[in-house]
Amino acid sequence: MTLSDFALLLDAPVDALRGPKPAEHVWHVSVRNEPDDRVLSDAEWATVAAEMVAAAGIAPPHGDTQACRWVAVRHADDHIHLVATLARQDGRHPRIRGDIPRMHTAARAFETAWDLTPMSPLDQTARRAPVTGEREKAARRGLTESARESLQRTVREAAARATTTTDFLTRLRDAGLRVREHHDENGALDGYAVALPGDRADQGSRPVWFSGRTLAYDLSLPRIRERFHPTVAPADLALAHTRIREAATLLTRAGRAEGAGDVAALGDLLVVAAATSPTAVREKVRAAATAFEQASRTPGTRTLHGTARAHFKASARALEHAPRTARGGGAPAVLTLLIALVEAVEAATAWHRAQHHDAQTRAAALLREAAILTGAPPPTRPSRSVPRTVQVTSAAGRGPATAPRDTGGLLRTRSAPPPSPGTGRSR
């Protein structure tokens, strides 16, 4: 049997669907263990594969003969690739929402049973991705992003700039969002929800509301209130780069709680920098701020007072209050600020490594690209945050899909980034 014949067998349930066929129907996950662990046998990896597809909802246990078709491929000692077709043989769609967290739970059991290196807990702080229905709704309305994504961006910028709860809610309304406040039994504000004008459910009878917590872990009202630092006065914009560099030096030596507050403040500074950057570099800085989001979110307690955090907040205030002409500045001024932000992002990456976090970020590389656009020589310090990649081929025969190579130790599941057009769906 050729590879093309095998791909046709996997795709047969999709081709047999009577209704609309999914545009992206390939599910792909890699499962990897720590290189220093013992080499698992083929039989053990087969056990892992069956348990993982069962946990994901691809092929439930107990002899479900109508489950999705899937295959496991092992071409190295330390990992396997799982590929499945997202159409059951009875014509129904599999229920795979929440597949990765369930697979992480299954991985923990193997680590315990086989004495493998345990991985760090699954990150529960990530932003909530739009579900299929939200993406399809945006496409029908001719929008480039879902309502959830638009709200995440707008709320995050308002939170980064606000100094009080009232200021935060006012900024949301000024940005054109619908805002619904929630008060406790004593009348105190304890939550909020937002909606886009015109975004309605139930045939247009009511707005689609999103609470802050459902948008992202750090956009709940308590987490937003932790950002406020009213005692910090805006720094002189000309000296902002000096404050940022000093904060970066302090961050590399920060402890767990203090560093968590510092990286959150740095994330807010990047958001404000993106909103106030010159047009020529704005998209690059905005992309850097987005890439840094994961690194800026840390679960648990964080210290709300510290010199580094104060420096980051003061620099953000300086950008917020600077005249538009000063924000644009000349190429040397913009470059100086971008270099300082590169150093701060690299300091945050070093802090995460010291805390044994897996958070990596492309923000430093993106900021360097923005520096190049200023026309001045870019900083020369090498980036330490670009992950290595390996090439794999989808079993559906749709071409190559790039999957991140795991650099930590442990048995883990890892989602690949979205494939290029025509490669199917990669997770």
Side-chain angles (χ1 to χ4, degrees):
M1 178 182 292
T2 66
L3 183 61
S4 296
D5 293 336
F6 190 63
L8 288 174
L9 286 175
L10 286 175
D11 284 349
V14 175
D15 297 332
L17 291 174
R18 295 182 179 180
K21 295 177 174 54
E24 299 176 340
H25 65 272
V26 176
W27 179 91
H28 169 217
V29 168
S30 64
V31 185
R32 185 182 306 273
N33 67 355
E34 161 63 39
D36 293 335
D37 283 334
R38 68 176 178 84
V39 176
L40 302 184
S41 67
D42 286 344
E44 288 172 322
W45 274 121
T47 300
V48 170
E51 183 64 28
M52 289 299 176
V53 294
I58 293 295
H62 312 305
D64 185 350
T65 60
Q66 299 300 312
C68 298
R69 296 183 178 184
W70 63 275
V71 62
V73 179
R74 181 185 186 184
H75 53 73
D77 287 340
D78 66 344
H79 72 279
I80 59 173
H81 292 278
L82 301 174
V83 180
T85 302
L86 290 178
R88 289 171 50 87
Q89 297 186 80
D90 55 12
R92 295 187 292 121
H93 295 289
R95 296 182 178 181
I96 62 169
R97 183 164 177 80
D99 52 350
I100 296 301
R102 293 195 300 270
M103 294 173 76
H104 274 263
T105 299
R108 302 295 76 71
F110 284 116
E111 290 166 355
T112 300
W114 294 346
D115 194 27
L116 301 172
T117 305
M119 71 175 289
S120 57
L122 178 63
D123 179 16
Q124 298 291 341
T125 69
R127 68 159 69 185
R128 302 292 183 88
V131 298
T132 301
E134 293 171 353
R135 292 194 299 268
E136 292 175 348
K137 183 179 181 180
R140 289 195 303 269
R141 299 177 64 190
L143 303 176
T144 58
E145 61 183 1
S146 67
R148 182 187 297 273
E149 292 168 310
S150 295
L151 292 170
Q152 285 170 337
R153 186 184 65 256
T154 304
V155 172
R156 188 171 298 283
E157 184 172 325
R161 296 182 177 211
T163 58
T164 66
T165 302
T166 300
D167 183 26
F168 169 65
L169 296 176
T170 299
R171 288 175 184 272
L172 293 180
R173 294 186 172 99
D174 288 346
L177 303 187
R178 302 186 64 171
V179 180
R180 184 173 65 187
E181 300 178 10
H182 185 274
H183 299 264
D184 62 20
E185 61 275 11
N186 298 318
L189 181 70
D190 64 355
Y192 74 98
V194 290
L196 283 180
D199 185 27
R200 295 184 173 274
D202 297 337
Q203 290 75 48
S205 63
R206 61 183 178 85
V208 179
W209 294 100
F210 293 84
S211 69
R213 181 63 180 85
T214 62
L215 291 176
Y217 169 84
D218 60 336
L219 294 182
S220 66
L221 187 60
R223 280 276 167 169
I224 287 174
R225 281 172 165 162
E226 290 179 356
R227 288 170 151 89
F228 303 152
H229 206 314
T231 62
V232 173
D236 184 339
L237 185 60
L239 299 177
H241 64 90
T242 301
R243 287 216 181 196
I244 295 171
R245 282 195 172 98
E246 291 176 358
T249 300
L250 293 170
L251 176 54
T252 59
R253 302 194 297 264
R256 173 68 180 81
E258 184 179 7
D262 294 345
V263 295
L266 174 56
D268 286 345
L269 172 57
L270 286 170
V271 170
V272 175
T276 57
S277 290
T279 304
V281 298
R282 186 171 302 154
E283 289 306 314
K284 286 292 183 185
V285 181
R286 182 170 290 162
T290 300
F292 188 76
E293 277 186 27
Q294 180 189 1
S296 70
R297 297 186 297 264
T298 53
T301 304
R302 57 188 184 187
T303 299
L304 307 184
H305 304 286
T307 304
R309 184 172 185 267
H311 282 339
F312 288 141
K313 298 299 286 187
S315 299
R317 295 281 186 87
L319 288 171
E320 170 77 7
H321 293 287
R324 288 189 175 273
T325 54
R327 292 178 188 171
V334 175
L335 176 66
T336 301
L337 184 64
L338 291 174
I339 292 175
L341 287 173
V342 169
E343 293 178 6
V345 168
E346 291 185 334
T349 302
W351 177 82
H352 273 290
R353 289 196 184 109
Q355 304 302 316
H356 305 291
H357 295 164
D358 289 333
Q360 298 285 327
T361 175
R362 294 182 57 242
L366 290 164
L367 289 169
R368 283 193 180 85
E369 293 174 13
I372 293 173
L373 293 177
T374 66
T380 57
R381 292 179 61 184
S383 173
R384 298 170 303 205
S385 59
V386 180
R388 297 175 59 193
T389 62
V390 293
Q391 293 290 327
V392 298
T393 301
S394 72
R398 296 297 191 264
T402 302
R405 181 178 178 85
D406 262 314
T407 55
L410 37 127
L411 176 68
R412 60 174 71 205
T413 59
R414 190 61 168 261
S415 297
S420 57
T423 62
R425 180 174 182 269
S426 181
R427 286 187 58 87

